[in-house]
Amino acid sequence: MHDSTLRRTTNVHEVFPNRTDAPAAMFTWDELEMLSAGSWFLQRDPFSTASSLDVDEKVRVQNQTVPTLKEFLNLAAQHERLVIFDLRRPPRGHPYRDAWITRTLEVIHNESSINSSKVLWLPADQRSLVQELDPELQQTSGDHASLEELQEEHIVRLNLHYSYMSQEQIRKYSSVNISTNLYVVSQPWLYSLAWCSGVHSVTTNALHILKKLQRPMFLMTPDEYSLMWILTDILSAFLITAVFIFHWWRERGLPFWSGSRQVNENGPYSKFRTELSDVWSISSISVRGEIQSSPLTPNLPTISEEPPI
C-alpha cells in the first residue's frame, strides 16, 4: 500500500467502520482480503472512464482486491515494467517491525518472478546492507544531493517531483549515468515536456492516457509559436504608438463646441475652462427680447429695462 491508511483505495469504512484511520500495516491478511479495492473507482470515476467499461469489466473492477507483494511483482514482471519501492517501516507491534527490509528482499528473491534490475529501491534505511545483499537493485534517491554524494551511495536514479527538476539538472545527472524518474505526471502536455527534457521515466495516475502517446505532443509548431509572438509584438507596438499620438494630439489642442460657437483652448483643462466661459459670458437679457449693449458689470449677468415714456 502506498497510502498509510486504507480509506482512499478501499471500502474499509463499510467493512471496518471503527478502523478507517488505522494504519494499513496493522490489518491481517485475512482482513485485507475482505476489502474491495475497486468499488471506489467506479463510484468516483476519477478519469471519467467508468462509462466506457462494459458489464464484465465493471464486475472485474468491483471485485478488485488488495494484492500481495508477490502478486504485484509478478504482474510487473509479466508486463516488463519497473517498480519503485517507497517502503515505510511498520509501526510498533508489527511482526516485521525490525525485519521489514530483509523480508521484502526475501519476497523479491525467492517468491516472485521479477528481476532485481527492474526494482527501484528508494528507502535510505540500511542502504549499504541492501546493496551488499542485492547489487542488482537500482539504488534510487529522493533527495537533491551533490554528484559526489550520489556516486558515493551508488545512486543510479533520482525520484523527484517534476517541479524540482530542470532540463539542465537532468542533463547534469545524466552525464554521470544517473537517470531521473518524475512524479506525479498525469497530463499529456507535462508528460511531453518531461519527454523532451530527457526524463527517463515518470510515475503517473493516468497510464491509460499516456500510453497512447507515441511522440511528444505539441500544441503548435516552433514556427507557429514564433509567428504568434511576432504578431503580438507588432500589434503591441501599434497600440502603444496610437495611444501616444492620441495624447500628443490632445495636448496640442482639441476643438470643443459650445452651442453654435467653436472655441479652441489649449491645455488639458480646455473643456473645463470653456464651460466656465459659457456660464459667465451672458452679456444681457432683455425683457422685451431686444439685445442691449455691453453689461454694466463685465463678469455678472444684468437685466436692463427701457425708461418709461
Side-chain angles (χ1 to χ4, degrees):
M1 295 296 296
H2 180 272
D3 295 4
S4 58
T5 69
L6 298 165
R7 287 179 303 178
R8 185 175 67 93
T9 57
T10 72
N11 61 341
V12 66
H13 62 284
E14 297 176 357
V15 183
F16 302 104
N18 298 326
R19 300 175 64 187
T20 55
D21 295 325
M26 298 309 292
F27 285 77
T28 66
W29 181 245
D30 290 338
E31 291 172 337
L32 290 176
E33 285 187 311
M34 298 170 60
L35 301 176
S36 169
S39 57
W40 71 273
F41 186 87
L42 294 178
Q43 294 170 0
R44 302 177 192 174
D45 195 11
F47 302 112
S48 301
T49 55
S51 60
S52 64
L53 302 176
D54 59 32
V55 176
D56 292 338
E57 289 173 333
K58 289 183 178 180
V59 172
R60 286 184 58 196
V61 172
Q62 183 74 29
N63 294 330
Q64 288 295 308
T65 58
V66 178
T68 63
L69 179 59
K70 174 183 176 180
E71 291 172 340
F72 168 68
L73 294 177
N74 287 339
L75 184 65
Q78 177 184 347
H79 294 277
E80 298 182 350
R81 292 289 186 265
L82 297 173
V83 297
I84 184 167
F85 277 18
D86 189 7
L87 301 179
R88 300 180 181 88
R89 187 180 184 185
R92 297 183 182 279
H94 194 280
Y96 294 118
R97 165 73 175 178
D98 299 320
W100 57 296
I101 288 182
T102 54
R103 175 61 184 137
T104 302
L105 292 175
E106 181 181 342
V107 174
I108 295 175
H109 297 153
N110 303 326
E111 300 179 24
S112 72
S113 58
I114 195 169
N115 192 300
S116 296
S117 62
K118 295 291 185 179
V119 177
L120 279 59
W121 188 271
L122 185 59
D125 301 77
Q126 305 179 39
R127 191 182 292 277
S128 57
L129 173 63
V130 173
Q131 288 178 319
E132 182 180 347
L133 295 176
D134 191 346
E136 294 295 321
L137 294 171
Q138 294 192 41
Q139 294 299 323
T140 306
S141 175
D143 299 324
H144 263 301
S146 65
L147 294 179
E148 293 76 14
E149 293 174 329
L150 295 175
Q151 289 176 321
E152 286 178 1
E153 295 186 3
H154 304 284
I155 301 298
V156 297
R157 189 179 293 258
L158 291 176
N159 180 63
L160 298 169
H161 191 268
Y162 67 85
S163 62
Y164 296 158
M165 289 292 285
S166 65
Q167 186 174 11
E168 180 181 356
Q169 290 174 315
I170 293 172
R171 290 177 177 175
K172 180 182 70 173
Y173 290 121
S174 181
S175 65
V176 292
N177 296 322
I178 298 178
S179 57
T180 53
N181 179 78
L182 300 186
Y183 66 89
V184 172
V185 178
S186 298
Q187 296 81 15
W189 69 267
L190 187 57
Y191 180 59
S192 300
L193 181 61
W195 193 339
C196 294
S197 298
V199 172
H200 299 85
S201 61
V202 300
T203 301
T204 181
N205 289 326
L207 179 62
H208 64 292
I209 296 176
L210 301 188
K211 70 178 183 180
K212 297 178 181 178
L213 297 180
Q214 302 300 318
R215 61 179 182 273
M217 181 188 70
F218 295 102
L219 299 180
M220 60 179 66
T221 65
D223 291 338
E224 292 173 338
Y225 182 81
S226 300
L227 179 61
M228 178 188 71
W229 280 110
I230 291 174
L231 293 177
T232 301
D233 291 340
I234 293 175
L235 179 60
S236 299
F238 173 78
L239 292 176
I240 292 173
T241 303
V243 171
F244 173 79
I245 293 175
F246 171 76
H247 282 283
W248 174 81
W249 175 61
R250 195 174 71 167
E251 290 294 326
R252 296 284 296 178
L254 286 175
F256 291 93
W257 290 86
S258 177
S260 61
R261 179 172 53 126
Q262 182 177 359
V263 180
N264 289 319
E265 296 269 335
N266 293 328
Y269 304 104
S270 57
K271 182 177 181 180
F272 180 72
R273 291 203 301 269
T274 300
E275 292 173 348
L276 288 179
S277 176
D278 292 343
V279 172
W280 296 104
S281 64
I282 302 175
S283 59
S284 63
I285 300 177
S286 175
V287 175
R288 297 184 179 180
E290 297 178 8
I291 301 177
Q292 301 298 318
S293 58
S294 61
L296 298 176
T297 305
N299 292 328
L300 294 175
T302 61
I303 301 176
S304 61
E305 297 181 358
E306 293 183 359
I309 299 174

